[in-house]
Amino acid sequence: MRSIAFERRTNTPKWLRIAVPMFGIAIALVLGAMLLAWTGHATTGTYRQILHRGFTDPGTFATTLVAATPLLFTGLTAAIAYRMGVFNIGGEGQLFIGAMFASFVGLGLGSAPTVVVVASMILAGAVGGSLWASIAAVLRDRFRCNEIITTLMLNYLAGILIQYLIFSSHSYWRELTGTGALFPQGRMLSERAQWPNPHIGGTPVPFGFIVGISFAVLIFVLLRSTRFGYRVRVIADAPAAAKYAGINARRTTFAVLALSGAMAGIGGASDVGDFRHTLDPKGLQQAGYGYTGIVVAALGRLNPIAVVFVAILMGGLNTAGLALQGPDFPAGLVGTLQGLLLFCTLGGEGLARYRIVIRRRAGSASRSAAPRSSSPRSAASPTEAPGLATGEVGG
Amino acid sequence: MKRTAHIGAVTIAAALGLAACGSSTTKPAAGGSTTTQKPSGSSDNGSATCGKPSGSGAYKVAFVYVGTVNDGGWTTAHDKGRQFAQTNLGDKVKTTYKATVKEGPEAAAAIESLIADGNRMIFATSFGFQDSMETEAKKHPEVCFEQATGFKTSANFAEYFGAAEDTDYLTGMAAGAASKNGKLGFVAPFPIPEVIREINSFALGAQTTHPGATVQVAWTKSWFDPTKERQAAEGLVAAGVDALGQGQDSPATGEVAKAKKLPWAGYDTDQSANFPDNWLTATVYNWGPYYQSRIAAAMAGTWKSGSYYGGPKDDFVGLAPFGKLVDQKTKDAIASKLAGFKDGSFYHLTGPLKDQSGAEKVAAGKALELKDILSMDWFVEGVKGSPKG
Amino acid sequence: MNPESIDVLTAGTNLVPAVEMFGITKRFGDVVANDGVNFHACVGEVHALLGENGAGKSTLTNMLTGIYQPDAGEIRLYEKPLRLTSPRAAIAAGVGMVHQHFKLVPTFTVAENVVLGLSAEHRGVKFRRAAIERRVAELSERYQLAVDPAKKIWQLSVGERQRVELLKVLIREARILVLDEPTAVLTPQEADSLFVTLRSMADDGRTVIFISHKLYEVTAVSDRVTVLRDGRNIATVDTADCDQRSLAALMVGRDVQFDRRVGTHVRGDSEPVLIAANVDADGDDDRGALHAISLSLRAGEILGIAGVAGNGQRELGEVLGGIRRIRSGNIDVCGKQQTCGDPVAFAKSRVAYVPEDRLGTGLAPSLSIADNVALRSFRAAPFARPPFIRRRWLRSHTQELMSRYDVKAPGPETPIRKLSGGNIQKVLLAREFESDPLVLVVASPTRGLDVGAIENVRSLLVTAAERGTGIVLISEDLDEVRAMCDRIAVMYEGRIVGIVDGESADVNTLGLMMAGAT
């Protein structure tokens, strides 16, 4: 008889950090293949199609970037906050408010030069998003409200607010003339306020994506090399140590939430400037960018640079998923394949911290001489082996 | 040549109720079905420049849906229409769809992907797809675009919808007859002309079978949100209504009505089997024949842009089977009005019509023009609630 | 010493074996925690399991209590081979464990905690409520475990809570009791009464296995001692045949300079570097934790703060270290009044602070050694060139500190939590010493360290004192305080109940003061 047990790893080797996600993807592909075969679809053909229709076919990468742009921003939103253990799940609402602010400015500055409008919209989006996040920050700071709850509620509130602006009021954002009289809709930005679409290597790249990459790099440097980033790391790891070091956790938490919200807000600005050219409450609420961003951040291990690549990957999967589905390939199956991939890679993350032990369960056999290890224990080895019940979360 | 093509288009249009007139709007034909052609600067010569078959394979046509094909409502109805067209047109045509497509950039991506797959014609079935459809139509003049429930058109971008207000008048008749106290409730999505005219029609219908009937409106600000719909319906019942109508895509209102044992008129889906005890009837759309004829036209090179507004006359809108709560007398009354809609002898949005204050809005004998119907923003007498939401 | 040369059973040949563990091996990844360990304990004895941290004591007992399963080897209880696959199985086999950290529900009563998790057979007819209370009372009396069964846990002192833990295992009819460092939280008097209890349990035919790394306890209470080192059993000896020095040598593997009497470091006429006057402060629960604390510290002096855990020493350390606000009173450092609760200002006044909670307060566990070295001075040069941290400089500075303070770790980027306890404390002390402090506040600096590391830390403190740093040494280890300090202040319920001379202080007097009897 054998028994299988999970034991916590005392040390996660470097190679595992690479191998595990790879292994996770492999498992997902195998499980996915089984699912495909079971539902009567070609396996390798489907995978080839995902690759082609998500990334390599002419023109598809442009579509992938379009899908990736908002996820890049919301991914950064989550990554920054979670780095410090602040669970901002309000990327959704912060993006809405960013879109609201940016479209306000974009509509107002419609006749200004494009450079001015675009810069103002980015700024306005950032301000909107961070203001919205700051509400949660104040509630957390003053009333110790859990930010998971407050940011979530603020998502709904932001949704209702932009919905109100377009559907239930004669607001500045709403188109009242022409076709706007037939159905409530937002005013369209003027041509000049629409963000440019520079071609890089023949692929049109949304301007917002370039902005997003710049911020990803900036945040990477900020977290890694500055005093601010240092404060964030200390607070995240040990609040008591932060207090001991005289770090003002309140101020840093505020700054982090504001920065986090600003990213989502710029994502909203990009949604208006790059894609919709109007404030579209229904479309924004359907999209759920804020929530997908959390997954992007998790898959990117909260690393801003990794978030860029994960956002592209997710965008590609989305594009490929759209291409794949149809009467013979239900949307649910596409979603299941995507879910498998996420589940296996994220699940692998957890497993990387444990090892699987298979041992024989036989009364008599265990009597045999124990194999001896001659390796002396290094001075840096952990002290008494940790009990299974003590579960600190490793890096 | 030009002329011939135009005549050809007219022929097709006639079959569909597509009157290819050059004027910006036409008065609705008495049957309620009409077409408008926006002065979009589009080629007015009637020849289709889009949707020409490419290659020798089956002609590819695609649908973009906002919901899942088995949502039991809006998208299911469209997909039945697609299957109808596919079955009748056979192997020459290959239809496909993308379901649960999100409005915005994702819709554009879905359309791009469909065009890359060789589809020559794209139907989009949610209002929210309109902007993406417009952009893509500009980008791909070789492809025909058709948008349900929109208002924008161009040379290769047409728009279609049904005159649900006509049949809502009939469901109102059923509800009015089923009500005991003359207080009806209506769970409504958005305060927009489309919904306002449906509510008005429902009220006018109810008032014919139950003189003095009122219709209380509850807005959900959503097309499909069972929770909000349920809350709205419960609110109405609490306010004393004893019959319910709706403009929503989910049967949540019916659930409330069932629990309270109240008669209920649904919308866009036949729910008679699920609600045997309190079902009245509902407006239902019949998309299939339209899809079939438009695809056939595109294949033949005779497709023409325009706005199609289908009514009872060409069975584009109709009534779901009656429930047992509708008595024979009411059935007969409804049948006679339906016949009137069909032969053009009756149109309900005809004066005298009074607004909520009791002031006369439409003079006696004057029928409302389509442009007024399409931009209706006022409630008729007897409707309780604000047309602003 | 060759482990195989000792016949483990010679000491108890006339006794009945209760626990026999043969060739037990347990690995955690690359680490071999137990390497072919043999351990035998007999009926009716108190058997100490002695070893430094990391020697494998807890791992070994965890296999006896069913928490881990051995990779190889055999366990016999009362000469019957058994597989203890779960804690439940171990309890059924008569093994009870009293953990270092109590596992009690604070809002439940003593009786409720005692029955919590009892298996069905125990809960049945035999243990109805009244019966339980009777049985609790009976056991309390027999083993002098005075505790009121109706009281809630949160109302009890630490010593009483430990008694509840003992009652829990007794009511489960444990015949083999394992206690993991049970005296860590007790006053000397409480420890003594625990020893009496353990003795009487052994006399009743139970087997008591007592894990410790404190030599005086081991010599005081046990019949036999098994010494573990580096995961192997080094020796099993009769306690009567050895003294603390020889046990320490077995434990560490070399002779230890043990009884270090520090003597005075105070320059007779030196000015006070730290004066606290009438300090009142609140604890974390906003209730008064410190009352009218007044003390002064001279350059080069080591002032001990003794007391039972929870009598305000932690809060006092935090106040003197600059991280806790005060309600009233004054703290002067070199004549300059301090803003309490502002650790940055305290650091500027050259007050260094080594908190009791090393991993979590003093250091951020997941951050690297280098990051932790920067913790108190990351704001300005040479650590930062605002807004950037000088990462490269920090790295080499850390490397240099590590070699100077003999920190054993793969490199400056190694996360602190991967270091051994001794090395962790070295990093913390290195950082604080590097700030060239006038005042050094250290709380329990040697708690949990092994003998070698303790020697090291103490000599670092002495060196600092000799350089003229005034040191406040907060410790619950009376031996340490007596050995190290020039003066000893004893705290009870947030007050300093007396200050005695380090040289003349004896354990009994201190113990009485710690218990509030002045």
PDB file of all heavy atoms in Angstrom, chain A residues 67-84:
ATOM      1  N   ALA A  67      -7.453  43.847 -27.375  1.00  0.00           N
ATOM      2  CA  ALA A  67      -8.015  43.146 -26.223  1.00  0.00           C
ATOM      3  C   ALA A  67      -7.084  43.239 -25.019  1.00  0.00           C
ATOM      4  O   ALA A  67      -7.526  43.231 -23.870  1.00  0.00           O
ATOM      5  CB  ALA A  67      -8.278  41.683 -26.583  1.00  0.00           C
ATOM      6  N   ALA A  68      -5.777  43.311 -25.296  1.00  0.00           N
ATOM      7  CA  ALA A  68      -4.799  43.295 -24.203  1.00  0.00           C
ATOM      8  C   ALA A  68      -4.712  44.634 -23.489  1.00  0.00           C
ATOM      9  O   ALA A  68      -4.397  44.681 -22.297  1.00  0.00           O
ATOM     10  CB  ALA A  68      -3.421  42.909 -24.750  1.00  0.00           C
ATOM     11  N   THR A  69      -4.985  45.723 -24.216  1.00  0.00           N
ATOM     12  CA  THR A  69      -4.739  47.053 -23.644  1.00  0.00           C
ATOM     13  C   THR A  69      -5.470  47.293 -22.315  1.00  0.00           C
ATOM     14  O   THR A  69      -4.818  47.613 -21.313  1.00  0.00           O
ATOM     15  CB  THR A  69      -5.085  48.140 -24.666  1.00  0.00           C
ATOM     16  OG1 THR A  69      -4.287  47.905 -25.829  1.00  0.00           O
ATOM     17  CG2 THR A  69      -4.801  49.526 -24.130  1.00  0.00           C
ATOM     18  N   PRO A  70      -6.790  47.113 -22.264  1.00  0.00           N
ATOM     19  CA  PRO A  70      -7.432  47.356 -20.959  1.00  0.00           C
ATOM     20  C   PRO A  70      -6.946  46.395 -19.886  1.00  0.00           C
ATOM     21  O   PRO A  70      -6.832  46.771 -18.714  1.00  0.00           O
ATOM     22  CB  PRO A  70      -8.925  47.158 -21.242  1.00  0.00           C
ATOM     23  CG  PRO A  70      -9.005  46.477 -22.543  1.00  0.00           C
ATOM     24  CD  PRO A  70      -7.764  46.789 -23.312  1.00  0.00           C
ATOM     25  N   LEU A  71      -6.631  45.146 -20.287  1.00  0.00           N
ATOM     26  CA  LEU A  71      -6.181  44.158 -19.295  1.00  0.00           C
ATOM     27  C   LEU A  71      -4.804  44.521 -18.756  1.00  0.00           C
ATOM     28  O   LEU A  71      -4.483  44.241 -17.594  1.00  0.00           O
ATOM     29  CB  LEU A  71      -6.147  42.762 -19.924  1.00  0.00           C
ATOM     30  CG  LEU A  71      -7.473  42.269 -20.465  1.00  0.00           C
ATOM     31  CD1 LEU A  71      -7.331  40.865 -21.014  1.00  0.00           C
ATOM     32  CD2 LEU A  71      -8.522  42.299 -19.365  1.00  0.00           C
ATOM     33  N   LEU A  72      -3.996  45.141 -19.595  1.00  0.00           N
ATOM     34  CA  LEU A  72      -2.690  45.597 -19.138  1.00  0.00           C
ATOM     35  C   LEU A  72      -2.868  46.595 -17.995  1.00  0.00           C
ATOM     36  O   LEU A  72      -2.226  46.495 -16.952  1.00  0.00           O
ATOM     37  CB  LEU A  72      -1.933  46.230 -20.311  1.00  0.00           C
ATOM     38  CG  LEU A  72      -0.644  46.995 -20.018  1.00  0.00           C
ATOM     39  CD1 LEU A  72       0.309  46.157 -19.198  1.00  0.00           C
ATOM     40  CD2 LEU A  72       0.020  47.423 -21.321  1.00  0.00           C
ATOM     41  N   PHE A  73      -3.792  47.527 -18.202  1.00  0.00           N
ATOM     42  CA  PHE A  73      -4.005  48.546 -17.168  1.00  0.00           C
ATOM     43  C   PHE A  73      -4.610  47.951 -15.900  1.00  0.00           C
ATOM     44  O   PHE A  73      -4.139  48.222 -14.793  1.00  0.00           O
ATOM     45  CB  PHE A  73      -4.896  49.672 -17.698  1.00  0.00           C
ATOM     46  CG  PHE A  73      -4.162  50.619 -18.595  1.00  0.00           C
ATOM     47  CD1 PHE A  73      -4.367  50.607 -19.964  1.00  0.00           C
ATOM     48  CD2 PHE A  73      -3.253  51.525 -18.070  1.00  0.00           C
ATOM     49  CE1 PHE A  73      -3.686  51.478 -20.797  1.00  0.00           C
ATOM     50  CE2 PHE A  73      -2.566  52.405 -18.889  1.00  0.00           C
ATOM     51  CZ  PHE A  73      -2.777  52.383 -20.268  1.00  0.00           C
ATOM     52  N   THR A  74      -5.639  47.139 -16.046  1.00  0.00           N
ATOM     53  CA  THR A  74      -6.264  46.593 -14.840  1.00  0.00           C
ATOM     54  C   THR A  74      -5.343  45.576 -14.173  1.00  0.00           C
ATOM     55  O   THR A  74      -5.377  45.406 -12.958  1.00  0.00           O
ATOM     56  CB  THR A  74      -7.626  45.954 -15.139  1.00  0.00           C
ATOM     57  OG1 THR A  74      -7.462  45.021 -16.213  1.00  0.00           O
ATOM     58  CG2 THR A  74      -8.635  47.013 -15.559  1.00  0.00           C
ATOM     59  N   GLY A  75      -4.502  44.918 -14.990  1.00  0.00           N
ATOM     60  CA  GLY A  75      -3.505  44.008 -14.422  1.00  0.00           C
ATOM     61  C   GLY A  75      -2.524  44.772 -13.550  1.00  0.00           C
ATOM     62  O   GLY A  75      -2.187  44.351 -12.441  1.00  0.00           O
ATOM     63  N   LEU A  76      -2.079  45.919 -14.049  1.00  0.00           N
ATOM     64  CA  LEU A  76      -1.171  46.751 -13.252  1.00  0.00           C
ATOM     65  C   LEU A  76      -1.875  47.227 -11.987  1.00  0.00           C
ATOM     66  O   LEU A  76      -1.298  47.245 -10.902  1.00  0.00           O
ATOM     67  CB  LEU A  76      -0.700  47.956 -14.072  1.00  0.00           C
ATOM     68  CG  LEU A  76       0.291  47.667 -15.207  1.00  0.00           C
ATOM     69  CD1 LEU A  76       0.560  48.931 -16.016  1.00  0.00           C
ATOM     70  CD2 LEU A  76       1.593  47.114 -14.656  1.00  0.00           C
ATOM     71  N   THR A  77      -3.141  47.586 -12.145  1.00  0.00           N
ATOM     72  CA  THR A  77      -3.934  48.046 -10.995  1.00  0.00           C
ATOM     73  C   THR A  77      -3.876  47.032  -9.864  1.00  0.00           C
ATOM     74  O   THR A  77      -3.569  47.368  -8.719  1.00  0.00           O
ATOM     75  CB  THR A  77      -5.402  48.240 -11.413  1.00  0.00           C
ATOM     76  OG1 THR A  77      -5.449  49.175 -12.482  1.00  0.00           O
ATOM     77  CG2 THR A  77      -6.238  48.743 -10.254  1.00  0.00           C
ATOM     78  N   ALA A  78      -4.171  45.802 -10.215  1.00  0.00           N
ATOM     79  CA  ALA A  78      -4.191  44.749  -9.190  1.00  0.00           C
ATOM     80  C   ALA A  78      -2.776  44.470  -8.689  1.00  0.00           C
ATOM     81  O   ALA A  78      -2.552  44.336  -7.486  1.00  0.00           O
ATOM     82  CB  ALA A  78      -4.823  43.484  -9.758  1.00  0.00           C
ATOM     83  N   ALA A  79      -1.826  44.401  -9.612  1.00  0.00           N
ATOM     84  CA  ALA A  79      -0.463  44.025  -9.221  1.00  0.00           C
ATOM     85  C   ALA A  79       0.106  45.000  -8.197  1.00  0.00           C
ATOM     86  O   ALA A  79       0.668  44.596  -7.184  1.00  0.00           O
ATOM     87  CB  ALA A  79       0.433  43.954 -10.451  1.00  0.00           C
ATOM     88  N   ILE A  80      -0.055  46.291  -8.447  1.00  0.00           N
ATOM     89  CA  ILE A  80       0.519  47.293  -7.533  1.00  0.00           C
ATOM     90  C   ILE A  80      -0.077  47.132  -6.151  1.00  0.00           C
ATOM     91  O   ILE A  80       0.638  47.096  -5.149  1.00  0.00           O
ATOM     92  CB  ILE A  80       0.202  48.721  -8.030  1.00  0.00           C
ATOM     93  CG1 ILE A  80       0.823  48.952  -9.394  1.00  0.00           C
ATOM     94  CG2 ILE A  80       0.684  49.755  -7.037  1.00  0.00           C
ATOM     95  CD1 ILE A  80       0.187  50.120 -10.128  1.00  0.00           C
ATOM     96  N   ALA A  81      -1.403  47.045  -6.102  1.00  0.00           N
ATOM     97  CA  ALA A  81      -2.060  47.001  -4.792  1.00  0.00           C
ATOM     98  C   ALA A  81      -1.730  45.703  -4.062  1.00  0.00           C
ATOM     99  O   ALA A  81      -1.436  45.713  -2.871  1.00  0.00           O
ATOM    100  CB  ALA A  81      -3.566  47.157  -4.965  1.00  0.00           C
ATOM    101  N   TYR A  82      -1.773  44.587  -4.782  1.00  0.00           N
ATOM    102  CA  TYR A  82      -1.571  43.294  -4.117  1.00  0.00           C
ATOM    103  C   TYR A  82      -0.135  43.147  -3.649  1.00  0.00           C
ATOM    104  O   TYR A  82       0.150  42.421  -2.700  1.00  0.00           O
ATOM    105  CB  TYR A  82      -1.939  42.133  -5.053  1.00  0.00           C
ATOM    106  CG  TYR A  82      -3.405  42.089  -5.410  1.00  0.00           C
ATOM    107  CD1 TYR A  82      -4.248  43.161  -5.106  1.00  0.00           C
ATOM    108  CD2 TYR A  82      -3.960  41.001  -6.050  1.00  0.00           C
ATOM    109  CE1 TYR A  82      -5.581  43.136  -5.438  1.00  0.00           C
ATOM    110  CE2 TYR A  82      -5.296  40.969  -6.384  1.00  0.00           C
ATOM    111  CZ  TYR A  82      -6.093  42.036  -6.079  1.00  0.00           C
ATOM    112  OH  TYR A  82      -7.419  42.011  -6.408  1.00  0.00           O
ATOM    113  N   ARG A  83       0.782  43.829  -4.329  1.00  0.00           N
ATOM    114  CA  ARG A  83       2.159  43.827  -3.868  1.00  0.00           C
ATOM    115  C   ARG A  83       2.237  44.231  -2.408  1.00  0.00           C
ATOM    116  O   ARG A  83       3.104  43.808  -1.664  1.00  0.00           O
ATOM    117  CB  ARG A  83       2.963  44.855  -4.682  1.00  0.00           C
ATOM    118  CG  ARG A  83       3.569  44.328  -5.945  1.00  0.00           C
ATOM    119  CD  ARG A  83       4.734  43.432  -5.624  1.00  0.00           C
ATOM    120  NE  ARG A  83       5.384  43.006  -6.848  1.00  0.00           N
ATOM    121  CZ  ARG A  83       6.512  43.532  -7.290  1.00  0.00           C
ATOM    122  NH1 ARG A  83       7.106  44.478  -6.627  1.00  0.00           N
ATOM    123  NH2 ARG A  83       7.046  43.088  -8.396  1.00  0.00           N
ATOM    124  N   MET A  84       1.335  45.132  -2.014  1.00  0.00           N
ATOM    125  CA  MET A  84       1.387  45.615  -0.659  1.00  0.00           C
ATOM    126  C   MET A  84       0.323  44.955   0.208  1.00  0.00           C
ATOM    127  O   MET A  84       0.081  45.386   1.328  1.00  0.00           O
ATOM    128  CB  MET A  84       1.221  47.118  -0.629  1.00  0.00           C
ATOM    129  CG  MET A  84       1.945  47.710   0.550  1.00  0.00           C
ATOM    130  SD  MET A  84       1.775  49.460   0.630  1.00  0.00           S
ATOM    131  CE  MET A  84       0.099  49.585   1.117  1.00  0.00           C
TER     132      MET A  84
END
